[in-house]
Amino acid sequence: MEDDLISIIVPIYNVEKYIEHCLYSIKNQTYKNIEVILVNDGTTDRTIDIVKNNFLLDQRFKLVSQNNAGISVARNNGISNSKGKYIVFVDSDDWVAPDYVEYLYYLIKKHNVKISTCAHQSLPRGTSPRIIKDPKDYIISTKEYFRRLGDKELPFQLGVAPWGRMYERSLFKDIKYPEGELFEDSATTYKLYLSAGMTAIGESIKYLYFQNKNSIVQKEFSKTRFQFLDSEKKMKDDLEKKFPDIKESLDRRYQYALMNTLAHIVISPNSKEFRKEQLELKKKILGNFTKKMLDAKNSKKDLVGLITLRLGLPFYKIAFKLFKFFKNKK
């Protein structure tokens, strides 16, 4: 197998509790020809001291600093400071398997594609990842990828996150992460997939996305979260123009975005500030109610959400809080 240089880009902001675990998992990769671009996004805690004391002696690790400007700027900055033929992202509070890079590179070379994708698992810290028996790898078109995404047929939580993938560098020539915006994954990943045309999928779990132990604690809803809906709507519209025959699948993906946003509003302590938005989202979600209830592609979770929302926002709130409680218990 060829030994191309692969750039691993890690945006960093105030992660002193998690950065060592993350970077040691990168340092110990079985694929050795890597450069690790650590982008300091204006960190104010001890994170950078930990980086300097434990990792910069490894010449493969490079620290780039910027004023606090957000993760999109950090990703773009990392790309512009990298030299690898391929790009990989890792979030600084996550962890990757020892063969994360090797596996993604193997998929790209085996299937002769510009993007490869591995499975990931979201789990509480201190727990062990799931072992997939007889994992498969294969290639599918961008159209098929987003059809399956909308129909919830992709295995093991594949989605549109920047991490968990390897990209040929050339894909970023005309595509950048949207600076000043949140939810850069919805706004960008689909464009990279459109440019690539095909993707290789490996069903082995190589990326561990850790849940915050306090994720069940209610936090105030911010109107900036509506950028998620804007990004998802733009993705839906662009993909629908390109692939009109998967419109129903794309609609299901957007329905998920609407329901998820409404759920986070209703459990928020400041939910009353967004009463108008709650009613607007409720109306959108419940449109074509009977059709959605009869849609075999809708998950049980979504069907419960539709039923409880039909009963009223208080019931929807209770249902979502129960879902989060049992999810965190797993």
Side-chain angles (χ1 to χ4, degrees), residues 63-127:
L63 181 63
V64 176
S65 293
Q66 64 182 42
N67 293 328
N68 181 239
I71 196 167
S72 288
V73 176
R75 292 193 197 283
N76 291 336
N77 200 0
I79 293 169
S80 64
N81 279 277
S82 66
K83 299 178 180 178
K85 182 176 180 180
Y86 297 99
I87 303 289
V88 170
F89 294 108
V90 177
D91 279 1
S92 55
D93 53 353
D94 293 335
W95 174 86
V96 292
D99 60 342
Y100 171 61
V101 172
E102 182 178 0
Y103 184 67
L104 291 171
Y105 184 70
Y106 160 77
L107 293 171
I108 276 188
K109 291 302 179 181
K110 176 181 177 180
H111 296 289
N112 191 28
V113 292
K114 294 183 178 181
I115 295 181
S116 62
T117 303
C118 68
H120 78 274
Q121 185 176 353
S122 176
L123 73 171
R125 293 184 181 277
T127 57

Side-chain angles (χ1 to χ4, degrees), residues 90-224:
V90 177
D91 279 1
S92 55
D93 53 353
D94 293 335
W95 174 86
V96 292
D99 60 342
Y100 171 61
V101 172
E102 182 178 0
Y103 184 67
L104 291 171
Y105 184 70
Y106 160 77
L107 293 171
I108 276 188
K109 291 302 179 181
K110 176 181 177 180
H111 296 289
N112 191 28
V113 292
K114 294 183 178 181
I115 295 181
S116 62
T117 303
C118 68
H120 78 274
Q121 185 176 353
S122 176
L123 73 171
R125 293 184 181 277
T127 57
S128 299
R130 174 183 175 188
I131 303 298
I132 305 300
K133 295 182 179 179
D134 301 320
K136 302 178 180 62
D137 63 80
Y138 45 89
I139 57 173
I140 59 175
S141 67
T142 294
K143 173 182 173 180
E144 180 64 9
Y145 186 90
F146 284 96
R147 183 198 69 76
R148 293 190 191 186
L149 181 63
D151 294 351
K152 298 185 178 179
E153 294 177 2
L154 287 173
F156 316 120
Q157 299 190 33
L158 297 182
V160 295
W163 39 257
R165 310 171 200 280
M166 182 174 288
Y167 311 85
E168 187 176 290
R169 183 185 194 84
S170 62
L171 294 174
F172 290 98
K173 181 180 179 181
D174 299 313
I175 299 173
K176 306 295 181 187
Y177 288 96
E179 300 186 358
E181 296 182 19
L182 301 176
F183 307 103
E184 78 290 348
D185 45 5
S186 297
T188 308
T189 303
Y190 80 95
K191 296 177 183 177
L192 296 167
Y193 271 72
L194 284 172
S195 181
M198 304 289 291
T199 183
I201 292 179
E203 294 182 353
S204 290
I205 295 172
K206 303 298 181 183
Y207 193 100
L208 282 301
Y209 176 90
F210 286 113
Q211 299 168 2
N212 187 335
K213 289 182 180 179
N214 297 319
S215 61
I216 195 170
V217 176
Q218 297 176 18
K219 299 178 181 179
E220 288 200 349
F221 184 85
S222 170
K223 64 180 181 181
T224 58

